[in-house]
Amino acid sequence: MNIIREIPCDRIIDTVRDLFIRVSTDLGDDVLSAVQRAAQSEDTELGRYALEKIIENAKVAKNESLPLCQDTGLAVVFVEVGQDVHVTGGNFSEAVQEGVRRAYRDGFLRKSICDPISRANTGDNTPAVIHTEIVPGDTIRIIAMPKGGGSENMSSSVMLLPSAGLEGIKKHIVDMVRKAGPNPCPPILVGVGIGGSIEKSALLAKKALSRRVGEPNSSDTRLSELEREALTEINSLGIGPQGYGGRTTALGVHVEMMPCHIASLPVTVNIQCHVARHGEAVI
Amino acid sequence: MKNLQRIRTPITAKVCEGLSAGDRVLLSGSIITGRDTAHKRLSRLIAEGKTLPVRLDGETIFYAAPTPPRPGRVIGSIGPTTSYRMDEYAPTLMEAGIRGMIGKGKRSPAVRDAIVRYKAVYFGAMGGVAALMSACVKKAEVIAYGDLGPEAIMQLEIEDFPLIVIDDASGRDLYEEAVPNGYL
C-alpha cells in the first residue's frame, strides 16, 4: 500500500501566489526567444519595431517588477493532484483561490473579474478557473496561466462536420486568425483542441497553450504536421506584429486531440496574445 | 519608417487633418481613460441630455485600465484594450466632442465614418508592452466613476506616448493597407 503524503494548504496558497506574481512580470524564456527569432526574420519596419518593443518591455517588466501587460488576466489554474496526497489544514480549492487573491493583492496586479450581468468587479480577481485532475503519485503539480480578455474574445468552440477532416480543421484555424486580425495582440499563440466533447475540446485548447512555445505535439505526427502547416499559412496572411503588417502573425500553433463521437468533430481555437504567461511548480 | 510627429493635446481638427494612417506620433499632454462601462454610462447621459461628469470637448480618450501602482509610483502598467467594444458608443462620443481615441484593433465602418465626419483620429497603442508605457505617464488621477475600480475614468498627463495612426480623417485605415488581402 502507498504511503499517504500530507501537504498543508498553506504551501498551496504560497505556491499559487508566487507563481502568479512571477509569470505576470517575468516573460518565459520560451516566449522571449521566439520573439527574438521573429525579430531577426521580420521584414516590415513597423513589424520589427513592434517586436523590439516586446523584447524591451520584457526587460523593463522584470527589472522593475511591473506587470508585462495591464491585463493581468483571469487566473486559470491547472492542478494535477497525486492520488497519494492528503491535503491538510483547509479546503484545497479555497487554498488555490486564496493564493490567487494574495497574488493579485501583493503583486499589484489588476483585478479584472466581474459579475457577467451587472459588471460589478469582484475586487480580488477571484474566482479563478481551476481545472483539477487526479493523477498517480504523491505530488501536486500546479500550472498558473493568467489569461487576457482581448485574445480570449477572439476564441471559439465549433462543431465541424466529421467530413471536414484535417484540411477542414486547418482552414478553420487559419480563418479564425484572419478574422481576429490585429485584435488579439499578434504575434499570437494558437491553442487548438480537437475531439472529445464541446467542453473537453475547449479544455484541450487551453491546456495546449501551457506547452512551451514552439514545442511540437510529441504524441501524434499528424498533429505536429498540422501545427507546422497551420503556422506557415497563418504567417502568410500578412497581419504581422500588432496587425501593422509582416510575416510574424503567430509564434506557434499547439494542437491537442482525443477521440470523439462518431457524429461529431468538436474543435476549439483558443487564441493567446504574445504575452503568453505560464509557469509551473511541483509541491 | 513613416513620419514621426510630436503632438500636444488638445488635438484640434487641423492637427487631425495633418495625420495619415501609418504615421508614428509621440503624444504629450492631458488625456482621459475610459472603457466599456464608462462608455455605456456616458452615452446614456448624453442620450438623456444630462450633465456629464467629465468634459469631452476636444478630449482624447484612451481605452485603458491600468494595474494599481506600487507605493511611490504614479501608475502601474498601462496599455490599450481592444477598441471594437467601444464602437457602439464612439460616434456618440465624437459628436459630444471627443477628437482622439487610443486603443488597439479594428473599428467598425460607422466609427470610421464618424472619424471622417468629425475630423477626429484613431491611434493604435501597442498592446502588451504596458510596463514600457508606464514610464510615459507623469500624473494620474481618478476623475469619475471611481466605483468601477480599474475601469474608472482617469485623467493622465503623458509625455512622448508612442502611437501609430490607424484611422485618419481622410478615411484611410492602416490595417487595411498593411494586409492587402484583407481579413475576410
Side-chain angles (χ1 to χ4, degrees), chain A residues 125-138:
Chain A
N125 218 60
T126 69
V129 172
I130 309 170
H131 303 294
T132 309
E133 206 181 328
I134 308 291
V135 298
D138 66 354

Side-chain angles (χ1 to χ4, degrees), chain B residues 6-11 26-32 59-60 102 136-140 155-161 163:
Chain B
R6 278 202 152 76
I7 294 175
R8 180 159 279 282
T9 61
I11 298 173
L26 293 174
L27 188 67
S28 299
S30 168
I31 62 171
I32 60 172
E59 196 58 82
T60 295
I102 304 173
C136 301
V137 179
K138 303 303 171 190
K139 251 166 86 178
Q155 182 159 24
L156 306 180
E157 287 294 323
I158 56 171
E159 205 175 287
D160 288 342
F161 201 76
L163 302 170

Side-chain angles (χ1 to χ4, degrees), chain A residues 21 25 45-46 49-51 53-54 56-57 60-61 64-72 104 106-112 119 121 150 153-154 175 178-185 237-239 242-246 274-275, chain B residues 1-2 22 24 35 37 64-71 73 75-82 84-85 104-106 124-134 148 150-151 162 164 166 174-175 178-184:
Chain A
I21 292 179
T25 54
E45 213 171 339
L46 277 179
Y49 165 80
L51 294 171
K53 288 291 167 196
I54 292 171
E56 209 180 317
N57 184 63
V60 171
E64 299 185 26
S65 298
L66 275 170
L68 290 149
C69 181
Q70 80 287 342
D71 185 354
T72 48
Y104 282 73
D106 301 346
F108 294 87
L109 309 180
R110 194 181 78 186
K111 287 77 180 169
S112 310
R119 312 305 293 179
N121 200 299
N153 283 346
M154 297 294 114
D175 281 349
R178 181 190 291 120
K179 283 180 200 158
N183 290 3
C185 283
L237 292 173
I239 296 168
Q242 297 292 317
Y244 299 158
H274 63 81
V275 193
Chain B
M1 198 70 82
K2 302 251 180 75
R24 287 181 55 209
R35 48 178 283 167
T37 307
T67 62
R70 284 181 184 277
R73 286 195 79 103
I75 201 161
S77 296
I78 185 161
T81 194
T82 325
Y84 71 90
R85 298 193 315 275
K104 68 171 170 89
K106 292 174 283 186
M126 263 195 70
V129 296
L132 212 53
M133 286 187 182
S134 164
L148 295 179
E151 293 193 72
I164 289 179
I166 305 289
L174 170 66
Y175 297 135
V179 185
N181 299 327
Y183 294 112
L184 287 168

